[in-house]
Amino acid sequence: MNTLLIVALTLGLAWAQAELEEVYGWKQMEFAWPDEKTKQDALQSGAYIPENNLPLGIQKWKNKLFVTVPRWKAGVAASLNVLDTDKPNKTAALVPYPDWTANTLPPAGAEKVPDNTVVSVFRTRVDVCDRLWVMDTGLADILGEPRQITKPALVIFDLNTDKLIRRYEFKATDLKEDSFFANVVVDVTPDRCDKAYAYVPDLGGYGVVVYSLAENDSWRVTHNFFHFDPLKGDLTVGGVNFQWTDGVFGLALSEPKANGQRLMYFHALASTKEFSVPTGVLQNKTLATDPHNYYMFKLEGDRGHNTQATSSAYDERTKILFLTQLNKDGAACWNTQRGLSPSSLGTIAKDPERLIFTNDIMLADDYVYMLSDKMSLFLYKSLQPDEVNYRIMRIKVQDAIRGTPCAGY
């Protein structure tokens, strides 16, 4: 009986992997330069060092696929970019968004930068009101000679016009000495676009910053659950062993409940546990900042050994949470209608070649999209320029969960 079960699970996993489609694959990132001279000048000056450009985050709106390239090192051509999915090309060049000027670093000593400037972005979020929310760290050359060009800021664009809606710089009270903002989720409904809230995890300072679009104000939320697990910071990805202390990182929002609130599912990167909190707690500034709110946050469960995750995405239709799986070269699912445990966590993709460091995951057009970028090799060793290092993969939601504990509940 056990043998039959193992065979069935193996066949189910292999079937799902066979459906995994490689949408894009790059050896190095190329950009859509205005002309060849501009590119050559950038190469000569060091403004563009191809091997230093690593894609990290993805979001999709209609035929636009946004791809972020954080300024880990010097020589990043543009941090916020877009691809036209109506023009299939697996090695398509990135087009800076909203334009080249907004992605060009200002000279040292510049007193004021344009409001639509994008310095260094890890992840973005598209909302139901056709807006792109960009969490700009404002920090360039993170691993070299760090330069804080602007304060950490939310930069919001109208996707129908590609024009800036607002730039909001975080207040001093939002920040801690080790603050680092690498993600954002947006809580809004189509009939109340002006009432949006953004939740921004601080993986280095172990908190969450809440931003109210209507009030144009922000506040910082703290909780023990935002910290990393000291026993789960040891990772091995792509054959590289390293230790991280990253706190709260992955955020995902459920569908609105009967009271209008959602649940925000969250986890630290250096952890295997998943937590949740009603968004009504976060949106109420008095309640969110009250040190006695401890029991309003909930432990959902533990995913099990080696299930550390960066990003997560929630499918409102199936009520399934999808997560990256760093140590396992893949991605997983959890049906939130069941308790979370190792037995209820399903594997939707696993590929030790094409999914090394699955860094981001998102849902669009009934597909699960995943970005893998071999970041452990990029940070601690080196990438091979003759190999495909960066990939964007996808699989249909129903195909992904078929044969896993996430289906048929």
Side-chain angles (χ1 to χ4, degrees):
M1 186 67 178
N2 289 340
T3 302
L4 289 174
L5 179 60
I6 292 171
V7 171
L9 290 173
T10 302
L11 288 174
L13 179 57
W15 192 93
Q17 289 181 22
E19 296 298 316
L20 201 61
E21 175 190 358
E22 185 171 312
V23 185
Y24 294 96
W26 301 273
K27 295 177 180 178
Q28 291 184 334
M29 303 309 299
E30 183 56 270
F31 295 81
W33 297 90
D35 52 60
E36 185 60 25
K37 183 180 184 305
T38 303
K39 176 182 177 180
Q40 292 303 319
D41 288 346
L43 287 167
Q44 287 289 330
S45 67
Y48 176 43
I49 304 173
E51 61 269 26
N52 287 359
N53 290 254
L54 173 133
L56 191 141
I58 50 175
Q59 277 287 287
K60 191 173 185 296
W61 178 79
K62 296 183 178 180
N63 68 325
K64 291 182 176 179
L65 182 65
F66 293 93
V67 181
T68 65
V69 183
R71 295 187 189 272
W72 283 113
K73 304 175 182 179
V76 172
S79 189
L80 179 60
N81 307 274
V82 67
L83 295 168
D84 186 347
T85 59
D86 285 344
K87 300 176 180 178
N89 179 357
K90 282 192 175 184
T91 58
L94 299 180
V95 179
Y97 184 90
D99 52 41
W100 273 106
T101 302
N103 280 273
T104 301
L105 293 182
E111 293 185 6
K112 175 66 176 173
V113 300
D115 283 346
N116 70 343
T117 297
V118 177
V119 176
S120 183
V121 182
F122 283 71
R123 287 184 175 81
T124 61
R125 192 71 54 168
V126 170
D127 73 12
V128 294
C129 301
D130 295 339
R131 297 177 298 208
L132 178 70
W133 296 66
V134 179
M135 182 58 236
D136 185 5
T137 65
L139 181 64
D141 198 5
I142 299 167
L143 299 177
E145 299 178 0
R147 182 159 69 104
Q148 192 72 51
I149 295 173
T150 65
K151 294 179 181 178
L154 282 168
V155 188
I156 310 169
F157 293 98
D158 183 335
L159 288 170
N160 289 302
T161 64
D162 300 329
K163 300 298 183 183
L164 178 73
I165 295 174
R166 181 176 296 176
R167 181 186 190 90
Y168 179 82
E169 293 188 343
F170 283 4
K171 302 183 297 187
T173 51
D174 297 329
L175 310 175
K176 296 293 183 181
E177 183 179 354
D178 294 324
S179 285
F180 199 87
F181 303 100
N183 198 6
V184 58
V185 293
V186 182
D187 190 357
V188 66
T189 55
D191 57 330
R192 302 188 69 192
C193 291
D194 58 329
K195 301 294 184 183
Y197 288 87
Y199 312 126
V200 181
D202 181 355
L203 66 90
Y206 311 126
V208 171
V209 174
V210 180
Y211 170 70
S212 165
L213 182 66
E215 299 175 32
N216 197 32
D217 191 19
S218 57
W219 49 92
R220 183 181 179 86
V221 185
T222 59
H223 197 278
N224 286 3
F225 295 172
F226 294 155
H227 290 250
F228 75 102
D229 183 336
L231 299 179
K232 302 299 181 182
D234 183 42
L235 299 100
T236 300
V237 188
V240 180
N241 177 249
F242 54 97
Q243 291 75 42
W244 280 359
T245 59
D246 291 11
V248 59
F249 194 3
L251 306 181
L253 298 175
S254 77
E255 75 286 350
K257 305 300 182 182
N259 61 3
Q261 298 182 27
R262 303 176 191 267
L263 281 180
M264 185 181 81
Y265 295 100
F266 66 90
H267 60 260
L269 191 157
S271 172
T272 59
K273 291 180 171 59
E274 196 73 28
F275 304 91
S276 69
V277 61
T279 54
V281 176
L282 303 175
Q283 294 173 12
N284 184 322
K285 184 176 182 179
T286 302
L287 187 59
T289 55
D290 188 331
H292 298 100
N293 65 13
Y294 183 89
Y295 293 104
M296 295 178 181
F297 292 71
K298 176 186 177 183
L299 170 64
E300 293 288 345
D302 195 310
R303 298 186 297 270
H305 181 61
N306 269 355
T307 57
Q308 290 90 336
T310 51
S311 184
S312 58
Y314 183 90
D315 182 22
E316 292 191 16
R317 184 173 56 84
T318 61
K319 297 179 173 57
I320 291 173
L321 186 71
F322 295 93
L323 309 105
T324 60
Q325 296 283 269
L326 296 183
N327 281 316
K328 296 189 174 185
D329 302 324
C333 65
W334 165 48
N335 192 322
T336 59
Q337 298 174 94
R338 302 181 61 189
L340 176 59
S341 67
S343 63
S344 64
L345 191 76
T347 297
I348 67 164
K350 183 177 177 63
D351 192 319
E353 178 183 346
R354 299 188 298 170
L355 291 178
I356 297 174
F357 213 108
T358 310
N359 211 325
D360 202 8
I361 192 166
M362 69 153 189
L363 296 163
D365 309 323
D366 201 34
Y367 279 94
V368 183
Y369 281 80
M370 292 160 270
L371 179 147
S372 65
D373 58 13
K374 299 184 181 179
M375 195 170 84
S376 51
L377 292 160
F378 174 84
L379 293 178
Y380 301 114
K381 290 191 175 182
S382 61
L383 297 175
Q384 299 301 315
D386 58 341
E387 296 179 355
V388 176
N389 293 300
Y390 316 124
R391 291 179 171 89
I392 296 176
M393 316 286 287
R394 72 177 185 178
I395 184 173
K396 281 282 189 180
V397 170
Q398 290 303 319
D399 292 341
I401 65 174
R402 187 176 292 119
T404 74
C406 304
Y409 184 79

